Amino acid sequence: TAMTRLTHSCDVLIAPTHREAGFGLPAAEALASGLACLLTSIPAYLSFDDTRDYALFAPEDNAIELGERLIDLLSDRDLRERLRVRGREVAEQWRVDRVAERLERFFEERRAR
């Protein structure tokens, strides 16, 4: 699809999203696609994993900090590669089989009570 081609033509995703945005599907898709991500420090993005090494983060509504993190990201090839690898690992939690396993465990625990 056109969106897949567009995603794979990019080096990074910059997602200066506000906390009201919800889950953050575009960021999750970018992580799964292996893009190094620069995200705002909103609860949705921070909840992707307890270890926050899967993206660079900047405070919400702080363009200067966002710009500084972007410079860090674009000037460090090794950092981009680490984020690509770690981002994919974090995105694996949303694969169908893993979601199904978690749901199954959840319902089994509830049934056992």
Side-chain angles (χ1 to χ4, degrees):
T1 68
M3 184 54 109
T4 301
R5 285 192 303 278
L6 174 64
T7 300
H8 289 289
S9 73
C10 298
D11 293 318
V12 300
L13 171 80
I14 306 167
T17 307
H18 295 278
R19 66 184 61 247
E20 298 83 17
F23 173 71
L25 186 58
E29 290 173 337
L31 292 171
S33 296
L35 289 178
C37 293
L38 170 55
L39 310 174
T40 45
S41 300
I42 63 171
Y45 294 156
L46 296 173
S47 71
F48 289 172
D49 193 83
D50 290 335
T51 305
R52 308 236 165 84
D53 61 350
Y54 52 91
L56 290 186
F57 294 94
E60 185 179 6
D61 294 323
N62 188 328
I64 291 172
E65 190 75 22
L66 189 70
E68 289 176 359
R69 295 295 73 74
L70 180 58
I71 290 168
D72 294 341
L73 190 57
L74 294 177
S75 62
D76 189 335
R77 182 183 306 258
D78 291 337
L79 173 62
R80 286 193 309 276
E81 186 57 30
R82 281 193 311 274
L83 294 177
R84 286 181 183 117
V85 169
R86 180 68 177 119
R88 267 192 229 111
E89 289 173 1
V90 168
E92 287 290 314
Q93 67 182 306
W94 299 299
R95 292 181 63 84
V96 171
D97 55 336
R98 294 206 177 154
V99 171
E101 287 172 13
R102 286 198 311 269
L103 285 171
E104 194 173 301
R105 252 191 333 271
F106 174 82
F107 289 119
E108 285 176 3
E109 289 170 2
R110 298 307 177 271
R111 188 176 37 224
R113 290 181 182 175

